[in-house]
């Protein structure tokens, strides 16, 4: 009698294959560059047949989508965003923006760099990056609207958004943490203090 493999088991195996491909691709994209990394190279490093990768995920763009999805899960910024809206004090809400930004960049600054590189050569990737950044901007703006009555004189929500996006720029994180040796916690504290001093009464 033939014993059938449970569907759940096959699905788990398929998900693990996708996760392994994504982990390997993320490392190679960061080390060698998105454009220079081929699916064949990912296949060799991951020990997974190239055809299996195409069947499971498809193109490099689809692999990067999988990497991005895992980054969002690992960062879990949605939970932090909910906390920011529930914080009673305006300063606490603004500081949580620093926490969210620290968390996003701590676990995914390399992913943003991959998109930046890919977008320079691929119009589709450039559009994807713009959508990601637009969604991020929308979240920041929604939080700033909750503190609009506490903004410093002359600081509109629009100006607060401009200042916040400038201070939360990935290049500042890369400089301070990756190049100057700051800990992510020190970066978060610095950013939180700066946002409060720049935005609030």
């Amino acid at each position: 009698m033939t014993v059938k493999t449970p569907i759940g088991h096959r699905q788990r195996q398929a998900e693990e294959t996708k996760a392994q491909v994504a982990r390997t691709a993320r490392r190679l994209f960061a080390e060698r560059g998105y454009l220079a990394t081929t699916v064949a190279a990912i296949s060799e490093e991951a020990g997974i047949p190239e055809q299996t990768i195409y069947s499971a995920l498809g193109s490099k763009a689809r692999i990067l989508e999988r990497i991005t999805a895992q980054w969002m899960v690992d960062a879990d910024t949605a939970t932090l965003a909910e906390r920011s809206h529930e914080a009673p004090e305006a300063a606490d809400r603004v500081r949580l923006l620093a926490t969210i930004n620290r968390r996003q960049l701590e676990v995914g600054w390399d992913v943003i760099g991959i998109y930046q590189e890919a977008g320079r050569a691929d119009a589709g990737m450039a559009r994807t990056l713009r959508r990601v950044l637009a969604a991020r901007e929308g979240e920041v703006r929604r939080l700033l609207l909750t503190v609009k009555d506490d903004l410093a004189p002359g600081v509109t929500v629009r100006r607060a958004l401009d200042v916040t996006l400038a201070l939360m720029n990935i290049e500042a994180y890369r400089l301070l943490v990756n190049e100057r040796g700051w800990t992510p916690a020190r970066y978060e504290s610095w950013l939180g203090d700066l946002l409060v001093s720049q935005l609030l009464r």
Side-chain angles (χ1 to χ4, degrees), residues 4 6-7 10 33 36 46 66 80 92 109 117 128 136-137 146 149 162 181 183 187 194 198:
K4 294 184 178 180
I7 293 176
R10 288 198 298 270
R66 174 74 184 209
L80 292 173
D92 294 331
W109 70 269
E117 184 215 343
T128 298
R136 179 172 178 257
E137 180 177 325
T146 72
D149 294 333
D162 292 344
T183 64
Y187 164 82
L194 197 52
Q198 290 292 309

Side-chain angles (χ1 to χ4, degrees), residues 102-150:
R102 174 257 179 104
R103 183 64 182 160
Q104 285 178 331
L105 297 181
E106 187 176 10
V107 301
W109 70 269
D110 59 316
V111 180
I112 297 174
I114 292 166
Y115 270 110
Q116 288 174 331
E117 184 215 343
R120 286 192 286 270
D122 186 315
M125 282 297 176
R127 286 192 297 272
T128 298
L129 178 58
R130 285 196 295 272
R131 285 198 299 271
V132 170
L133 294 178
R136 179 172 178 257
E137 180 177 325
E139 285 296 328
V140 172
R141 186 176 187 279
R142 278 191 285 277
L143 187 141
L144 290 174
L145 283 171
T146 72
V147 300
K148 65 180 180 179
D149 294 333
D150 298 285

Side-chain angles (χ1 to χ4, degrees), residues 2 21 34 49-51 54 69 91 102 120 125 132 136 142 147 149 154 164-165 171 176 191:
T2 302
V21 169
Y34 176 83
E50 193 171 345
Q51 187 53 51
Y54 279 114
R102 174 257 179 104
R120 286 192 286 270
M125 282 297 176
V132 170
R136 179 172 178 257
R142 278 191 285 277
V147 300
D149 294 333
T164 301
L165 292 176
E171 297 306 327
L176 294 174
L191 179 59

Side-chain angles (χ1 to χ4, degrees), residues 8 11 16 18 24 31 39 42 44-45 47 58 63 65 103 118 128 146 150-151 160 162 174 180 190 192:
Q11 289 176 335
E16 178 52 37
K18 293 176 183 179
T24 302
E31 291 175 358
V39 174
I42 297 168
E44 182 178 354
E45 287 284 326
I63 294 172
E65 287 177 10
R103 183 64 182 160
T128 298
T146 72
D150 298 285
L151 294 174
D162 292 344
R174 183 179 284 130
R180 305 299 299 176
W190 167 81

Side-chain angles (χ1 to χ4, degrees), residues 170-184:
I170 185 176
E171 297 306 327
Y173 180 90
R174 183 179 284 130
L175 171 67
L176 294 174
V177 177
N178 296 350
E179 297 180 19
R180 305 299 299 176
W182 284 28
T183 64

